[in-house]
Amino acid sequence: MSTGHAPAGIADPTGAGDAFRPGFLAGTAWGWTQTRAARLGCAMATTVLESVGTQEYELTSPDLIARIERAYGIGAARAAEPRLARVS
């Protein structure tokens, strides 16, 4: 499987894998394809990559949707939006 990547300015790689995993698992639990679930995981990981420290970031639905759109296009973002809008 290849999903491409979500561009990020890497400040600190610590925790990126730990952020990818719950995004991927959540997407899988929601019945998403592995590719779609991996895209969410990548969007979550880029949030972590751009922050310094182990948990110095905030995951928000609008930010994740925007990251998915920038990396994978509007179609991917719109497909994820209904489910992510319900996550707080």
Side-chain angles (χ1 to χ4, degrees), residues 12-25:
D12 182 357
T14 306
D18 293 332
F20 173 85
R21 192 171 26 262
F24 179 77
L25 292 174

Side-chain angles (χ1 to χ4, degrees), residues 17-57:
D18 293 332
F20 173 85
R21 192 171 26 262
F24 179 77
L25 292 174
T28 301
W30 296 333
W32 290 5
T33 65
Q34 287 186 341
T35 299
R36 192 169 162 197
R39 288 175 176 173
L40 175 58
C42 287
M44 292 176 65
T46 61
T47 302
V48 174
L49 286 169
E50 293 174 352
S51 63
V52 176
T54 56
Q55 293 184 354
E56 303 301 319
Y57 55 87

Side-chain angles (χ1 to χ4, degrees), residues 64-79:
L64 291 172
I65 292 165
R67 288 174 185 276
I68 292 169
E69 183 175 340
R70 283 192 305 271
Y72 308 111
I74 189 124
R78 295 300 165 252

